[in-house]
Amino acid sequence: MLRLLGEVAGLALVRNGKVVRCELDEEATAAGVRLSLAEASDEAIAAPPVDVFGELNAEHVSAPVVVDIPDGVRLTRPIAVIDWLDADGVMTFPRLAVRLGEASAATLVEWYGSTNVDSFAAPVTTLDVSQAATFSHVAVQHRGPRVWQIANQVSTVGKDAMFNGYQAALGGDYARSRADCRLAGRGASGNLSAVYFGTGDQMLDFRTFQHHQGPDTTSNLLFKGAVGGRSRSVYTGLIRVEKQARGTNAFQTNRNIKLSDHAWAESVPNLEIENNDVRCSHASTVGPVDEEQRFYLESRGVPTAVAERLIVTGFFDEVLVRLPVDGVSAGLRGLVRDRLDHEGVLS
Amino acid sequence: MWWWADVSELQIVGLHAAVHGRQILTGIDLVVRSGEVHAVMGPNGSGKSTLSHVIMGKPGYEVTGGQVLIDGVDILGLPAWKRAQAGLFLAMQYPIEVPGVSVESMLRESFLAAGNDPDLVPELVAAEAARIGFAEDVVHRPLNVDLSGGEKKRNETLQLGVLRPTFAVLDELDSGLDIDALRACARRVEAATKEGDPPLGVLAITHYSRLLSELQPDVVHVLARGKIQATGGPELAIELEATGYTAYGDEPADAAGDRELDPFADPFA
């Protein structure tokens, strides 16, 4: 997957819970960017855990990685952090803490991969985006079909800062991802999007928390998933607008396509609003491939299975075209296509 | 008999169809040959759109009798995509939005499935777009997403031009578009009825005679209450313009009511 990323500004490689590589290019080094193993005194890794898996991670974390982008530094190439599992019976607690200084800009890709092992991972990622900074984060979960993963991600977005968080989930036996986006400073904005595609007996579980703490904050969420075979997905999303967060705009959309009769998808949106001066909306759908869309393509001579592949890839494309690293979009498109063509997920 | 190879025949024989158990078509008979333009006119609720959907094989319609044949081969047992490969095209009244799928990628898959070279598609699309005054960048945008009524109908016509079907069913091609777009679409279809090999045969389904002033019909059929009630030449369309469908059992009060509800209704009708 390194090939997909193209030229990177920095790379950290963690294998079975051990950091095996941590390097930055000259430009990033000269700009004062830091990419390294955390020291015990690092505040960045001291963030309070959000749940019991966060607590487990805090207790057992072995190789926390810290990324620090100084004020005003704007990286043009992405940083990659790859977490790789290739040992059976391993339990790992990856930790990544990213801090963007004021008015800085960066893109970071986290890739969770593995061979076909029977292991468990509970990663925690904290993303701190300071005033007027712009940060794009892509998390790809492509673990093997027997891996269990329970991931936490907390982003804190400062005044006039922007966080773009993208997730893709294709792997794992049971894979949960919780993403909390705290819009702390006035005018902060958070765009959260995800694609997920279950197959076989997989269970994919997403929990999101758009937490509006500061005034005039904006959040926009779009999660799109497909489930085939006997796989299941659950999306649970909460928008919370605090009393002081007047002028909030918060949107949440979750769309699901069921590709087989035995697959199952559920969508659970929630709103908690303490202020009247807000604009909030949520929408969710679960259903099979749209019959009208399929008929339209078929009426132009496109065979049924190909029409369904086009519709599902097109469905995901709304998110994939937004990814900040073209190679990752292309790679994910390929993975989706392979799954549609070869794994018999279409009924 | 030199012309044999150039003439195909779309034959509809005693076609009966139902939707949700309700009989809509109660015996349609007509024959369209290559190069001919047949208009099917009728009041709202007469079964016009049902006819177009049943011919193309849209799910949700039950054929309860009869046949639809292309050159003697019944196509009613075929899925829609095989009907398309057999030379049939349906220009839809309300073209469906397909997010994330461009007209070009769809046409490539269509060419591939039919054993044609998909690499020919971009050039054909560019040529057709130029021919009907359609912005070329639209072909890379998702199908019908955020297109105006006129752009959607130009998009349908563009696809017709690229796919070169033997027979085209135009379901209310004249609804929801301005006169320039209507003229561009109608002229392109008319050209296909003259230049194709074999030339295109057209079944144009319409409520109003607006389309027919741009696309000259050879034969006009009046469809009402699920049956062809009358067949004649172009003069029949002119007569209908003056008298309406009351002579064929349509209740004018209802038709007027429907007309108000139709957002694509011709304001000059």
Side-chain angles (χ1 to χ4, degrees), chain A residues 21-317:
Chain A
R21 234 167 117 179
C22 232
E23 57 193 40
L24 278 174
D25 71 0
E26 277 176 30
E27 193 188 327
T29 310
V33 174
R34 179 181 163 210
L35 169 65
S36 64
L37 258 172
E39 286 144 30
S41 59
D42 262 311
E43 271 179 44
I45 58 161
V50 292
D51 63 14
V52 65
F53 294 98
E55 280 168 25
L56 270 176
N57 182 290
E59 227 168 277
H60 299 288
V61 59
S62 56
V65 174
V66 171
V67 176
D68 199 283
I69 316 287
D71 291 356
V73 170
R74 306 179 79 83
L75 292 179
T76 48
R77 290 195 285 257
I79 291 174
V81 178
I82 294 163
D83 189 272
W84 189 255
L85 293 173
D86 60 0
D88 265 309
V90 171
M91 197 149 70
T92 67
F93 299 90
R95 174 74 74 95
L96 172 68
V98 183
R99 197 193 72 87
L100 271 86
E102 287 185 12
S104 66
T107 297
L108 187 142
V109 178
E110 251 187 305
W111 191 289
Y112 298 106
S114 83
T115 55
N116 185 10
V117 292
D118 192 357
S119 288
F120 173 85
V124 168
T125 302
T126 56
L127 310 167
D128 192 356
V129 191
S130 304
Q131 182 170 336
T134 302
F135 182 43
S136 294
H137 177 261
V138 184
V140 179
Q141 186 275 102
H142 191 219
R143 301 284 203 199
R146 292 186 294 155
V147 172
W148 276 52
Q149 169 148 309
I150 296 177
N152 273 333
Q153 178 201 100
V154 179
S155 51
T156 307
V157 191
K159 183 169 182 279
D160 298 325
M162 182 186 281
F163 172 64
N164 301 309
Y166 307 91
Q167 295 189 57
L170 294 162
D173 176 20
Y174 174 86
R176 182 200 298 179
S177 146
R178 169 175 169 171
D180 295 28
C181 182
R182 296 173 182 160
L183 298 152
R186 175 189 287 271
S189 57
N191 298 305
L192 308 173
S193 32
V195 292
Y196 49 96
F197 191 172
T199 181
D201 285 312
Q202 269 184 298
M203 167 80 190
L204 300 172
D205 179 343
F206 296 89
R207 300 162 189 209
T208 65
F209 185 18
Q210 294 156 265
H211 195 179
H212 291 259
Q213 299 170 336
D216 303 320
T217 48
T218 302
S219 70
N220 225 318
L221 179 143
L222 176 64
F223 272 44
K224 301 187 91 170
V227 280
R230 293 170 305 281
S231 67
R232 288 160 293 159
S233 74
V234 182
Y235 168 79
T236 314
L238 172 64
I239 296 175
R240 180 170 170 81
V241 181
E242 298 293 346
K243 208 170 182 121
Q244 67 276 16
R246 66 190 171 278
T248 283
N249 286 294
F251 309 104
Q252 186 189 85
T253 303
N254 174 227
R255 306 217 177 276
N256 298 280
I257 296 183
K258 263 182 61 174
L259 295 171
S260 88
D261 290 339
H262 305 290
W264 179 85
E266 185 153 15
S267 189
V268 189
N270 296 287
L271 291 173
E272 281 176 19
I273 301 172
E274 303 287 340
N275 190 297
N276 290 325
D277 177 22
V278 300
R279 279 174 57 211
C280 283
S281 74
H282 59 80
S284 68
T285 51
V286 178
V289 170
D290 189 281
E291 203 174 63
E292 301 255 343
Q293 292 178 356
R294 186 173 49 211
F295 174 65
Y296 187 81
L297 299 182
E298 282 196 53
S299 76
R300 309 299 138 119
V302 179
T304 314
V306 179
E308 293 196 343
R309 165 160 61 71
L310 283 176
I311 292 166
V312 175
T313 48
F315 168 79
F316 284 135
D317 230 42

Side-chain angles (χ1 to χ4, degrees), chain B residues 102-182:
Chain B
S102 69
V103 68
E104 189 176 305
S105 59
M106 176 184 70
L107 292 172
R108 288 185 72 96
E109 293 291 355
S110 177
F111 268 51
L112 202 61
N116 297 322
D117 180 5
D119 290 339
L120 296 173
V121 167
E123 208 177 304
L124 288 169
V125 163
E128 286 298 327
R131 221 170 147 174
I132 56 168
F134 198 32
E136 211 187 311
D137 71 296
V138 177
V139 304
H140 299 293
R141 300 212 318 241
L143 270 168
N144 298 315
V145 175
D146 297 328
L147 295 192
S148 71
E151 286 173 322
K152 283 182 183 172
K153 297 300 168 85
R154 282 189 213 252
N155 195 3
E156 296 289 280
T157 308
L158 176 142
Q159 293 171 41
L160 185 152
V162 173
L163 291 169
R164 294 172 189 266
T166 318
F167 293 100
V169 180
L170 313 177
D171 189 4
E172 312 257 355
L173 186 70
D174 49 350
S175 71
L177 75 176
D178 57 86
I179 190 71
D180 289 337
L182 174 62

